Structure formats: C-alpha cells, structure tokens
Amino acid sequence: MKQRLTTIIFALLAACQAMSQTTVSGIVTDGKDPLAGANVFIIGTIDGCLTDSLGRFSFHTSKTGEMTLRATYIGYEDGTLTTSKTTDLLIRMREKATAIDEVVVTASTYHFGKSDNFKTMDALDVVMAGNSCGDIVAALQSLPGTQQVGENGKLYVRGGSEDECQTFVNGMHVLMPYSTNVENNAVRGRFSPFLFKGIHFSLGGYDGEYGQALSSVLPMETTDVATGDKLGVSASLVNWYAGGTKAFERSCLSFNADYTSMGLYNRLFPDRYEWTHPYRKLSGEAQYKSELSASSVLKTYVGYDLTTVGQHAGERRLSLREHNIYACATLKTSLGSGYSLFAGMAGSAVLSDIDDALAPGDHYHNLRNEAHMKAEVRKVFSPVLKMAAGAEEYIRHSNKRYDTDGYRLDYRLTGTHIDAQLRIVPRLFLSLSARAEHTDFDGRWLLMPRTTLSYVPNSRFQLSAMLGQYSQTGDDDLMAISQRRLPQSTARHAIVSGQYSTGKTLLRIEPYYKKYRRLPLMSDGTCTANGFGTSRGLDIFVEDHSLAKNLTTTLSYSFNDSERLYRDDTALRTPDFASRHNLRLTAKYAVGKTIIGLAESYASGRVFPNGTTPHYNSIDANITWLASEKIIVYASLNNILGRTNIFRFNTDGTPVTAARDRFFYIGIFVSLKNNKAYDISNF
C-alpha cells in the first residue's frame, strides 16, 4: 500500500511538472532563407534545441513570462529575441562580417609551408618534387607564369628577365640568391628548403612593402624557435649534408654544412663538356632565434658559399671561384594598443674571380656588396582596417676589373611605403599601397601607387583585380656605362585573378598585362633609358585530389605574348628568354610507404635572331620510400626519353644544349635526433 502511494505521488508530481512546462517554437532565418542547425536556447537556462532542415525549433521550458532567446550559427552574428510569446517566433540572424585579419587574398601568389591556403608545400615536398632535386627554384618552376630557360635555371616570370624576380629572407633583400656555374649550365637556389616555414611566391601585384622587382618577388620566412634538439644527415651521388639544432628554454641555435661535388658523378656518367676541375661547392649556414618575450622574436641568419669549377672550352681553360655570403637579423615585437614593429638589417657580398673568362690569359674580377636596412610599423585599427608604414635604405657597391679595364660603382636607394587594407562590405576587400623611391644618382622621387580589390564571398571562391606600378634600377654594368645617369625602369601590372576550391580541387585562372617603360637600351655605345615593351598572357593552375585515392595531380599552363626593345635590340621583338606556351603536368601516387611521381614538361620554341629553337620536352620520374620513421630514400630520373633539348643558339648558329640529356639522382635522408626523417634539418 505504501509503495502504491509513493508511485501515485510521483505520477502526480510528474503530471504537474508537465502541465507547468511551456512549448517554445518558431523559425530562424537569415532574412531570406531558413537556417538549419542553428542553436536556439533561453538565456539563463539549459532549455533549447537545434533547428531542423527548415529552420524550425520547438522545445519545452518551465520558464514563464518574458524570456530572452539567443540563436547561434557559424558564420553569423548571434541573434536575440526578447518576448512574452512562446509560439510563431521569428529570429533573424545577420551574416558575420569577416575581420580584415581573417581573410587571405591569394591572387597571383602561391603559398608554401605553414599556410591556411589550399596550395601548400613543405620542405620535404620541395626536396622531392619532380625534377627539383632539392632546389627551391626548380620546384617553383612547376607553377604557372614561370618560363623554361634551361641554360641557366633561374626564375623567369611572365615574360620578364631573370633579374626582375627578387628574393627576400625574413623580409630582407638577398643580393644573389643563386649559386654560380659556368655558362650554359643551370644554377640552383642557394638556400636549403629546410630553413623555411613559409614561401610566398608572388607572380605580380605585390604590395608596397616590396620594391626593386619589376615582375615578381619570392619572400621566404625562416622557421620559428625550435622546442627540441634535432640532428640529421643526408648523402647522394652529388652532395653530402649534415645539420642540426640545439634548443634552449626560449631560444635555439642551428647549423648545417653541405658539400657538393660533381667529380664522382662525372666519372660515372660523363657529359658533353671537358672539365679541368669538377663543379664543387662548400656551404655553411647558421641561425640563432630567441623569443625575447611573449610578443618579441629575434631571428638571425648567416650563410656562406664557396664555389669552384674549371672547364676546357676551345683554347680557354676557364677557372671560376666565387664567394657568396649573406647575413640578416630581424626583430618583431608588439608595441601595445594594436601596434607592432618590424626592424631588420641584412648584408650581402659576392666575390667572383674567373681566369680565361672570354679569351686565353684574361682575368675577370668582380666584388658586389649590399647593405639593406628596414623598419615598419603595423597597426590593426579595427576589424575593418589595418595599416602599415615603413622605410628602408639600400647601400650598394660594385668593383669590377677585366684585365686593365673596369669600374667602381656606389649608390644609395631610399624607399618608403604605406599600405592600408580595408573591408568595404562583409565580402569586399580593398588594399591600397603607395611606394616612393629615391636614388642619389637621379635626385628625384618616384611614386608608385598599387591597389587590389578582392571579392571573397566564402572560403571556396575569390575574385581579385590588381593594378600597380613597380620599379628597378639597372644592373651594375649598365649603370657604370651610363655613369650613374640611367633612371629606374618601370613596369605597370594589371591582373585579374579568379580562384575556386573545393575540398579536393583547386582551380585558378589569371589573365595579366604588363607595360614596361624606361628599359635599358644600348645606342651607339651609350646606354639610354629609351627601351620599352609589353607582356600579356594567361595562367591556369589546377590541383586535384579526387581522381583516385592517394593520387594528386596538377596542371600548370601559361600563355605569354611579349615583346620589347631592350639592351642590344635594334627593333621591337620577342625576348629570347620568353616562350609562348609552357605546360607542366604532374601526378603523385602514394602506395603504403612509397610515393611515386611523374611529371611532363613542355615549352614552345624560343625566338633568336638566328633561328627559333625546337620545343622543349622532358618526362621526369621520381620515387620516395619511407624506409623507417627516421630514414627516407629518394631517387629521380630526369628526361627519361633522353631528348636533346636545344636551349638557345650561339652567335655562330651552333645550338646550346644541356651538359647531359638525362640526370639520375639518388639520396638518403636520415634523422639522428628525432622520430621523423623530414625533421633532419627543420630549423
């Protein structure tokens, strides 16, 4: 009887509770369409639910009288409604405006390393991409907009010459980013890919921070302070490498040493040249990085290369020796109230000596150095506006001697810039830049406005339009010939960029137009600034992960139509470094612990005064095997079919080809201090 009474009491309490509860119902919309999956609840209680596929919600509450409901939804501002009603409620939500710091405009820029963008590549990818053989520059040549110029291997972008692309490390300029070699042999980038956490290759339209580049910039950011010790080695047929890091509480010290020699390779696989001294390069790099405080980071870097090579060419016994040193130190710190400061110093020096450079018995000597100082203040004013302003100074020197002739050249260049990034409306962003430069030999200020308008409706689609003016001083020889009277060359960029990405596919299409003015032009033995030219084209890039599991494919195509009156030209013509069509197809397939890669590269012929070269074609293959968590084995074979590609013609009409038609590379990468082989030198 007692148990029955207890049951009745509980039943009556439950019934009373149910009778005291109220049903709250309604719909959540964005003003046009219902929002499915929005979270709706009464503030101060745990009563609530998620909306259904039609945006409807319905739940019970014991709260009576006036109540305040809140709705939350990703990408939207919270919606609130205070009411005494309980049914037929309507909550309208507004789409959340993206803060200026939350958007990344990728137009005309490809990001590698630690990036939130779709297209990423870490150090291991660079080392093992296609025919790169560990060279950053060669890896970048798989992107659209780059031209195939096999006789020197440097970066040529959108119809521009090799010196129109400039390299920066931690924001500081690098005078000579390439190794050296004898004529008609491809050079390599002088920096190890393991140094960097981020590489941002801009094909044009860059903001006011970067100057002295007519076509493109390659900014690279070194890795952050390491949290653990690292040590690794690698070896191949052509180079041997060791590197490591010692980590302290809030700082780290890193080093690496690299020795490259073609001696063994030339004996195993002889080429077309007669070498009196095989190509050899000894390199060393060191870094010290410290977190001075929670908001201040100091980074220092120093690198040195010594390159030697000797070649028997006709009656000449060419002998080359070059020293190349680069050092930089940068500080990033917060000043409070949304302000931050960047300050840096960098120094470059390149010393070259060549015997039998042009004729038997001659001697060529050239010393070039540069000091670069830079400071910039940045401020985030609000979610819709951030700005930056900075100034920099270049001090340059060149001393050249060829037998009894030569010159000494010294000049200074001052640059200032101001950049503003503005969110006009939630999906529309405007970047405004102004850069001004002054050279002591010209005495005038050159003002260069730049602007980018970007429409970013969501994470999948971007549409941008860019306009800007860029400048660059002439090379040292031309500056000396003109007795420092040669003004800066200029280029105007107009670029439209459209990008669409899904979870597995990226498509980017970019038409562009460049107009050159005041290019160096030789006339009756004097150097003038009367040269000019244009370059127009279309770049297409597709990366896909959807065709098959573990398969990644890319398509990179560039069309370029350029002409210029330049240097020794007597009439307007297509520059001999520009090919009209460039195509590269790649496929990478992972099977267990093995990755197999295949690449096809094509470039149409290049036009020279004495003829047009045949098209360029190379099929390359590579394989990567993870032998263990600490060991990676990599092998590649370039130009599998052995096609003899003609790069250019000499003045006598003889063709210039590569030293060898095929190149085989095999290397082993070993981590001695970490559990992952790709950390061997991840400074």
Side-chain angles (χ1 to χ4, degrees):
M1 184 69 178
K2 187 176 182 179
Q3 287 181 342
R4 289 182 181 178
L5 182 60
T6 302
T7 303
I8 292 171
I9 291 172
F10 274 109
L12 289 172
L13 289 173
C16 291
Q17 178 70 17
M19 291 176 64
S20 66
Q21 284 189 334
T22 303
T23 300
V24 179
S25 62
I27 188 170
V28 178
T29 75
D30 62 0
K32 295 181 180 178
D33 302 312
L35 295 177
N39 183 29
V40 182
F41 61 95
I42 299 174
I43 295 178
T45 74
I46 59 172
D47 301 330
C49 68
L50 297 177
T51 58
D52 62 17
S53 60
L54 298 178
R56 298 174 301 193
F57 63 89
S58 179
F59 61 89
H60 299 292
T61 182
S62 58
K63 189 174 179 62
T64 59
E66 188 176 78
M67 63 187 74
T68 300
L69 283 78
R70 176 169 292 172
T72 62
Y73 192 74
I74 295 176
Y76 285 77
E77 296 179 359
D78 291 353
T80 58
L81 176 65
T82 301
T83 180
S84 298
K85 292 177 55 179
T86 59
T87 59
D88 299 323
L89 302 178
L90 175 63
I91 302 177
R92 289 190 177 92
M93 302 185 69
R94 291 191 303 172
E95 189 172 357
K96 185 178 180 180
T98 304
I100 192 71
D101 276 345
E102 297 173 357
V103 65
V104 178
V105 177
T106 61
S108 210
T109 299
Y110 289 85
H111 301 260
F112 301 86
K114 294 181 180 178
S115 170
D116 293 331
N117 298 287
F118 183 95
K119 177 61 185 171
T120 62
M121 179 183 288
D122 61 22
L124 187 66
D125 291 324
V126 172
V127 168
M128 300 172 183
N131 61 352
S132 71
C133 297
D135 181 25
I136 291 176
V137 173
L140 293 176
Q141 288 171 350
S142 66
L143 295 175
T146 60
Q147 311 258 211
Q148 183 62 241
V149 184
E151 65 268 35
N152 65 29
K154 297 180 180 180
L155 282 171
Y156 291 74
V157 177
R158 289 178 171 172
S161 62
E162 79 277 14
D163 57 358
E164 293 180 23
C165 177
Q166 296 296 307
T167 300
F168 298 83
V169 171
N170 293 339
M172 305 308 296
H173 184 248
V174 181
L175 181 63
M176 179 54 68
Y178 302 103
S179 63
T180 190
N181 210 331
V182 297
E183 188 179 9
N184 298 325
N185 277 261
V187 300
R188 292 170 60 87
R190 66 179 299 247
F191 296 106
S192 165
F194 294 106
L195 289 170
F196 305 105
K197 69 172 182 179
I199 301 173
H200 308 284
F201 184 36
S202 177
L203 302 173
Y206 31 95
D207 59 28
E209 178 184 358
Y210 298 109
Q212 292 300 291
L214 286 180
S215 284
S216 60
V217 292
L218 178 59
M220 301 187 289
E221 181 75 17
T222 57
T223 55
D224 296 326
V225 176
T227 57
D229 295 348
K230 300 174 184 179
L231 180 64
V233 296
S234 67
S236 72
L237 292 175
V238 297
N239 71 315
W240 297 264
Y241 174 93
T245 293
K246 177 63 178 176
F248 305 100
E249 184 177 354
R250 301 186 66 174
S251 63
C252 66
L253 180 64
S254 306
F255 75 94
N256 75 38
D258 189 323
Y259 177 66
T260 301
S261 174
M262 292 296 297
L264 174 62
Y265 195 93
N266 287 342
R267 286 194 293 271
L268 294 175
F269 308 103
D271 61 19
R272 296 185 174 95
Y273 295 119
E274 182 180 344
W275 303 101
T276 59
H277 176 65
Y279 177 90
R280 291 173 182 159
K281 186 180 76 166
L282 178 64
S283 303
E285 295 170 302
Q287 292 188 88
Y288 175 73
K289 289 169 284 192
S290 176
E291 294 179 350
L292 303 178
S293 69
S295 58
S296 299
V297 177
L298 172 70
K299 290 185 177 182
T300 64
Y301 167 86
V302 60
Y304 168 75
D305 295 345
L306 169 62
T307 305
T308 61
V309 63
Q311 181 186 29
H312 192 190
E315 298 180 354
R316 293 183 299 141
R317 298 182 70 84
L318 182 147
S319 177
L320 180 150
R321 175 182 290 265
E322 181 176 279
H323 303 267
N324 190 341
I325 186 169
Y326 173 75
C328 70
T330 61
L331 173 68
K332 290 183 178 180
T333 184
S334 173
L335 302 177
S337 301
Y339 286 94
S340 61
L341 171 69
F342 170 88
M345 297 181 63
S348 301
V350 183
L351 175 62
S352 303
D353 284 283
I354 307 175
D355 292 322
D356 286 13
L358 298 177
D362 68 5
H363 180 75
Y364 171 90
H365 169 86
N366 188 205
L367 170 63
R368 300 176 60 202
N369 55 47
E370 173 189 86
H372 181 208
M373 292 154 287
K374 179 178 179 180
E376 183 181 59
V377 176
R378 300 166 185 170
K379 164 72 171 176
V380 178
F381 288 93
S382 71
V384 301
L385 175 65
K386 67 177 180 179
M387 297 186 68
E392 59 188 329
E393 180 91 0
Y394 290 88
I395 304 173
R396 291 173 172 170
H397 166 80
S398 182
N399 190 344
K400 178 179 176 180
R401 294 197 310 271
Y402 179 69
D403 287 346
T404 58
D405 296 327
Y407 62 78
R408 178 187 175 94
L409 178 68
D410 295 278
Y411 69 92
R412 301 168 72 102
L413 183 144
T414 302
T416 63
H417 73 275
I418 182 168
D419 299 325
Q421 290 181 294
L422 175 69
R423 189 191 72 206
I424 302 174
V425 294
R427 301 181 183 90
L428 194 63
F429 300 86
L430 178 65
S431 175
L432 296 172
S433 298
R435 182 177 177 86
E437 290 184 348
H438 176 272
T439 54
D440 61 358
F441 56 82
D442 193 310
R444 294 179 298 175
W445 283 93
L446 178 63
L447 179 63
M448 293 163 285
R450 304 168 186 180
T451 183
T452 299
L453 182 65
S454 299
Y455 176 61
V456 188
N458 50 55
S459 61
R460 292 189 173 189
F461 181 71
Q462 283 195 24
L463 181 64
S464 300
M466 293 173 284
L467 293 171
Q469 181 167 314
Y470 305 84
S471 68
Q472 190 170 355
T473 58
D475 66 31
D476 293 345
D477 289 349
L478 298 177
M479 291 281 289
I481 292 173
S482 69
Q483 298 180 340
R484 300 200 332 157
R485 295 191 181 94
L486 189 66
Q488 294 198 72
S489 300
T490 63
R492 292 180 179 174
H493 295 193
I495 305 169
V496 175
S497 175
Q499 176 174 301
Y500 179 77
S501 63
T502 65
K504 293 187 176 182
T505 304
L506 168 72
L507 169 65
R508 182 183 292 185
I509 300 176
E510 288 190 358
Y512 62 88
Y513 176 80
K514 289 193 292 187
K515 185 174 183 178
Y516 293 93
R517 293 181 63 247
R518 301 196 299 187
L519 292 176
L521 182 66
M522 297 301 298
S523 177
D524 297 327
T526 62
C527 186
T528 70
N530 296 328
F532 59 92
T534 60
S535 179
R536 70 199 79 189
L538 175 69
D539 293 338
I540 299 175
F541 181 79
V542 181
E543 180 171 301
D544 185 80
H545 301 260
S546 65
L547 297 180
K549 185 179 180 181
N550 300 327
L551 176 66
T552 300
T553 59
T554 66
L555 179 150
S556 173
Y557 170 74
S558 298
F559 168 79
N560 177 259
D561 177 21
S562 58
E563 57 182 9
R564 59 171 65 186
L565 184 65
Y566 174 66
R567 290 185 177 260
D568 296 319
D569 295 335
T570 57
L572 196 66
R573 71 179 189 90
T574 300
D576 56 28
F577 50 76
S579 49
R580 184 170 288 252
H581 302 279
N582 282 266
L583 174 67
R584 184 173 175 86
L585 304 170
T586 70
K588 183 170 65 175
Y589 184 67
V591 184
K593 296 182 178 181
T594 303
I595 300 174
I596 301 171
L598 193 65
E600 156 71 9
S601 300
Y602 168 88
S604 57
R606 291 156 50 196
V607 180
F608 292 85
N610 50 4
T612 301
T613 64
H615 71 270
Y616 171 92
N617 189 65
S618 178
I619 299 177
D620 312 315
N622 62 81
I623 185 169
T624 304
W625 175 46
L626 183 63
S628 73
E629 288 187 341
K630 294 188 176 184
I631 300 175
I632 290 178
V633 179
Y634 171 78
S636 67
L637 178 60
N638 298 342
N639 197 13
I640 295 174
L641 301 181
R643 174 184 171 85
T644 300
N645 288 300
I646 297 175
F647 296 137
R648 60 180 298 124
F649 294 111
N650 291 319
T651 54
D652 61 2
T654 57
V656 173
T657 64
R660 48 175 56 86
D661 292 330
R662 296 185 181 92
F663 189 86
F664 174 69
Y665 179 90
I666 183 168
I668 181 170
F669 302 82
V670 182
S671 174
L672 302 176
K673 197 74 175 178
N674 214 309
N675 62 348
K676 293 181 180 179
Y678 58 76
D679 277 343
I680 54 174
S681 295
N682 190 2
F683 294 144

